[in-house]
Amino acid sequence: MTDSREDRPDGSTLTTGAPVRTDHLLEEFESEKPARRLTGFPKRSLSVAGALLSLYALYWVLDPLPEQLYRTSFLAVALAMTFVLYRAWGSGGRAEGDEERPDNPGVTDWLFALLSVVALGYTLVVFDEFIRRAASPDPLDLVFGTITILLVLEATRRTVGWILPAVCVVFIAYAYLGALIPPGFVIGHSGYGPDRIIGQTYMGLEGLFGVPLDVAATYIVLFTIYGAVLEYSGAGKYFIDVSFAAFGRSRTGPGRTTTLAGFLLGTVSGSGTATTVTLGSVAWPILQRGGYPRVEGGGVLAAAGIGAILSPPTLGAAAFIIAEFLGVSYLTVLLYAVIPSLLYYLGIVLAIEADARRFGTRGVEVETPPLGRLLFRYGYHFSSLFLIVGLMALGFSPFRAVFYATIAAFLLSFLDPAHRMGPRRVYDALVAGAMGVLPVAATTAAAGIIVAVVTLTGLGLKLSSVIIGLAAGSLALTALYSALAVLLLGLAVPVTASFIIASVIIGPALTELGVAPFVAYMFIFYYAVLSEVSPPTALAAVAASAITGGNAFKTMMMTWKYTLPAFLVPFAFVLSPNGEALLLQGSALQIALTFLVSALAVGALAVATGAWLMGPARLPERVLCGAAGVLLLYLEPFWVAVGLGVLALGIVVHLIGGRLAGRSAPVGETNRAD
């Protein structure tokens, strides 16, 4: 095997094994479409626009503009940049192996970019009169409103594919043609003309310029800038170093290292698939040398990558929308996610422990500086992460918290001569931050169209009554149908869009049955994120299988095994009022007891899926432990007691079965795994 050697911060090297090329995988498996490779004037102009857009967002933190003015101007620049950066069709005529060929925009792309500025700039020029005539648009409003909607749909198609724009078109058609729906159908309505649809979508804060776009233009762009500064200051590389130094030499080290590195890299990336691919390029050779089979190694990579956007301190983009929908601070949403995140990683760690024994994995010698030296010399990379949470706890807005954390990360970069952020690195980070928000800006604007239609027609309440009717009023069935609907929706559209659509359509069904709004939103959030590891698409798992060379479907199922607690824990905080303690709601004693019971449930599920307890677990004890895990997660005293009894029975069966197997096995074979 040919070793690849990577320079480390202190001048030593990390020997990881055969090099893994992953640059093409981000383009293939990320939900966003690949961008152009610009050269010359288009590249320079786009870079300048990106840097200015990032500076505009940072300036807004210090001197906020009126909401609609800021969102409109932000979208105007973001759309124009999108048409320059993202091609209209395919790969722009580049053949395979011709990745370096320039791929600059054509006349149509520049025309669309100009139209974006004109159509949205028009609203800024006549702003005072514009907002007053939203209920009765004049002809010019209708023209520019139609152009803007079409441009948003085209930008969305270029960045995330055709499905979300098609869904938006269906919703617009539903709003316009509602009168044609037969009277007996629940979702029927009287129909709305172009003036009402465009007024709702283009001329207020309930459509294109609503909460979804606001989140992209404030929270998300600020965090993408922060992530870019972290990356350019060397934090991403340092996080991998720390992970290898902490766990690299133990038997379970390869799996634990991958999990920790995935969590830390997620603070820089913010994307499950991107984290999986970035992590895989370094961690897969380590997993392979440690004895992990291809499928199981891919499962660990995908589970670690997706966990990063389920966990504080950054979470995914949908978490920002939860804060806006609920009217609570982002810190509150972070607190909601603490215990579910701990349970998620507990499940992965227990699965790694089981795999280490079943596969006979081994520690891998990795050349890294000692952990203590890394923490002492470069531990400052963690400080900006803690600063975000600390400032929000002191009452700072999340915008100011991430702004000051970005400044802190910039200043701290001067402690490392190799990653000192001079003018060029600062400029590149500002550009990268703006580029990172473009697909999200288009997606959230398009999702705003759906929200506008749902608000105008009352569709959310109508569909919630349909869901409740199908579930016969059962909360358990409603939750199950809701989870399946969000997962199916997530197969077609990005996480952020699927959360927005589901929250306005499925959320009312849960709240109507007594589920608290914050619980309903967190339930939908988890399933929107988990769509990235759900068969049959499971982009993160497919990307991981491309790295490891394992079977894609088997890797999906293995990832599902690792992430099983994340699929079941959301039911725990929906089905029982006691489950709200998992979101840190309730007394300290109630939260502690609920966490312990849930942790025990995750452990029981790990036995069922990992086939290991105190030795190889056979089918009877695995079935009993799996049933116990499900019963414990119901979190009602009676069912918890039943679950404990079933778990105890499973342990007894395991001990008796192991003893009998030991007596019947030949000498020297008693410790062999299945």
Side-chain angles (χ1 to χ4, degrees):
M1 178 181 296
T2 304
D3 287 343
S4 66
R5 301 179 69 83
E6 179 183 346
D7 293 336
R8 316 314 288 165
D10 68 341
S12 65
T13 57
L14 166 63
T15 304
T16 58
V20 180
R21 287 290 307 277
T22 59
D23 49 344
H24 64 291
L25 296 179
L26 280 174
E27 293 190 355
E28 185 175 355
F29 296 112
E30 266 280 65
S31 57
E32 290 85 15
K33 301 301 180 184
R36 287 186 169 107
R37 290 179 173 83
L38 302 175
T39 59
F41 173 76
K43 182 177 181 179
R44 291 192 299 273
S45 61
L46 191 73
S47 297
V48 171
L52 291 175
L53 185 63
S54 291
L55 289 173
Y56 183 42
L58 293 170
Y59 173 78
W60 172 86
V61 176
L62 302 176
D63 186 16
L65 297 172
E67 291 179 335
Q68 192 159 347
L69 280 174
Y70 175 67
R71 297 175 195 177
T72 303
S73 54
F74 184 92
L75 182 61
V77 178
L79 282 183
M81 291 176 61
T82 299
F83 289 118
V84 174
L85 184 60
Y86 290 89
R87 63 184 69 90
W89 305 105
S91 59
R94 287 184 293 108
E96 185 176 355
D98 195 20
E99 291 87 353
E100 299 305 319
R101 177 181 168 187
D103 181 22
N104 289 331
V107 174
T108 304
D109 302 309
W110 288 112
L111 177 62
F112 283 176
L114 178 62
L115 276 174
S116 300
V117 175
V118 172
L120 289 162
Y122 159 78
T123 70
L124 302 177
V125 173
V126 296
F127 183 74
D128 291 336
E129 298 83 4
F130 179 78
I131 59 175
R132 282 197 293 267
R133 59 177 183 251
S136 181
D138 66 21
L140 205 55
D141 297 333
L142 295 178
V143 170
F144 282 121
T146 302
I147 291 173
T148 299
I149 291 172
L150 292 175
L151 289 171
V152 166
L153 294 179
E154 170 61 10
T156 304
R157 185 193 67 81
R158 291 188 181 207
T159 52
V160 299
W162 62 269
I163 295 179
L164 180 56
V167 172
C168 292
V169 170
V170 169
F171 271 82
I172 293 172
Y174 165 73
Y176 183 68
L177 302 172
L180 300 180
I181 299 174
F185 284 79
V186 176
I187 62 172
H189 60 87
S190 59
Y192 297 90
D195 56 339
R196 288 294 306 278
I197 295 173
I198 291 176
Q200 181 85 359
T201 305
Y202 173 67
M203 302 182 70
L205 292 176
E206 293 183 340
L208 293 171
F209 311 115
V211 169
L213 178 63
D214 177 55
V215 168
T218 55
Y219 291 99
I220 296 175
V221 69
L222 293 172
F223 272 89
T224 58
I225 295 169
Y226 169 65
V229 171
L230 278 182
E231 181 65 34
Y232 278 90
S233 66
K237 188 177 181 182
Y238 169 74
F239 291 154
I240 294 177
D241 289 336
V242 168
S243 304
F244 284 126
F247 296 124
R249 294 174 177 82
S250 65
R251 178 170 63 173
T252 56
R256 289 182 179 180
T257 294
T258 301
T259 303
L260 177 60
F263 170 72
L264 294 175
L265 282 176
T267 62
V268 177
S269 167
S271 164
T273 304
T275 302
T276 299
V277 172
T278 304
L279 179 64
S281 64
V282 177
W284 167 236
I286 301 296
L287 290 169
Q288 191 173 34
R289 288 165 57 195
Y292 273 82
R294 297 181 185 275
V295 169
E296 285 75 8
V300 172
L301 289 173
I306 206 68
I309 58 173
L310 283 171
S311 307
T314 52
L315 296 179
F320 302 118
I321 299 173
I322 293 175
E324 289 297 305
F325 279 175
L326 291 174
V328 301
S329 70
Y330 180 58
L331 179 61
T332 301
V333 180
L334 293 185
L335 294 176
Y336 291 157
V338 168
I339 291 180
S341 299
L342 292 174
L343 295 175
Y344 178 85
Y345 283 105
L346 174 64
I348 294 180
V349 168
L350 291 175
I352 288 170
E353 294 289 339
D355 285 351
R357 289 158 177 78
R358 289 197 303 125
F359 304 137
T361 61
R362 55 193 175 273
V364 176
E365 288 295 326
V366 180
E367 293 182 33
T368 61
L371 178 61
R373 187 192 306 170
L374 278 174
L375 292 175
F376 178 76
R377 176 63 182 86
Y378 300 101
Y380 59 82
H381 283 300
F382 290 109
S383 59
S384 63
L385 295 172
F386 294 126
L387 184 62
I388 292 175
V389 178
L391 289 176
M392 287 193 292
L394 292 174
F396 285 74
S397 70
F399 315 121
R400 285 189 175 264
V402 72
F403 176 84
Y404 292 132
T406 303
I407 298 299
F410 160 71
L411 294 174
L412 290 169
S413 72
F414 288 90
L415 297 176
D416 180 7
H419 294 95
R420 187 172 295 156
M421 293 195 67
R424 183 66 197 183
R425 281 180 179 264
V426 171
Y427 178 78
D428 290 342
L430 291 172
V431 173
M435 301 305 179
V437 82
L438 295 184
V440 184
T443 299
T444 52
I449 297 173
I450 296 171
V451 173
V453 172
V454 170
T455 304
L456 183 65
T457 61
L459 181 62
L461 293 176
K462 294 173 182 177
L463 287 180
S464 70
S465 66
V466 172
I467 295 172
I468 294 172
L470 290 174
S474 166
L475 178 57
L477 286 178
T478 300
L480 178 61
Y481 294 159
S482 298
L484 292 174
V486 178
L487 288 175
L488 289 173
L489 183 63
L491 301 180
V493 298
V495 170
T496 305
S498 66
F499 172 80
I500 295 168
I501 298 169
S503 64
V504 297
I505 293 178
I506 296 172
L510 294 171
T511 56
E512 192 171 329
L513 292 178
V515 177
F518 75 93
V519 176
Y521 285 140
M522 291 300 289
F523 179 88
I524 294 169
F525 167 70
Y526 278 98
Y527 279 99
V529 173
L530 290 170
S531 64
E532 288 204 15
V533 290
S534 302
T537 54
L539 295 178
V542 175
S545 69
I547 294 172
T548 65
N551 178 276
F553 181 76
K554 290 181 179 179
T555 302
M556 290 183 202
M557 300 311 295
M558 188 59 59
T559 305
W560 180 84
K561 183 193 87 167
Y562 284 123
T563 58
L564 179 62
F567 282 89
L568 296 181
V569 167
F571 280 95
F573 49 74
V574 164
L575 297 182
S576 169
N578 296 326
E580 293 185 10
L582 292 177
L583 303 178
L584 292 181
Q585 303 299 301
S587 66
L589 178 61
Q590 183 183 9
I591 292 171
L593 289 175
T594 304
F595 174 67
L596 289 175
V597 171
S598 301
L600 194 60
V602 169
L605 292 171
V607 173
T609 58
W612 194 277
L613 185 51
M614 287 170 278
R618 293 163 178 79
L619 185 61
E621 56 258 43
R622 291 175 66 186
V623 170
L624 288 170
C625 288
V630 173
L631 291 170
L632 289 169
L633 283 176
Y634 193 59
L635 295 178
E636 289 292 335
F638 172 77
W639 293 111
V640 169
V642 174
L644 290 172
V646 174
L647 179 60
L649 179 60
I651 294 172
V652 170
V653 170
H654 175 72
L655 293 174
I656 294 174
R659 187 170 300 174
L660 293 176
R663 289 177 180 175
S664 60
V667 175
E669 296 293 314
T670 57
N671 292 325
R672 176 180 292 176
D674 287 347

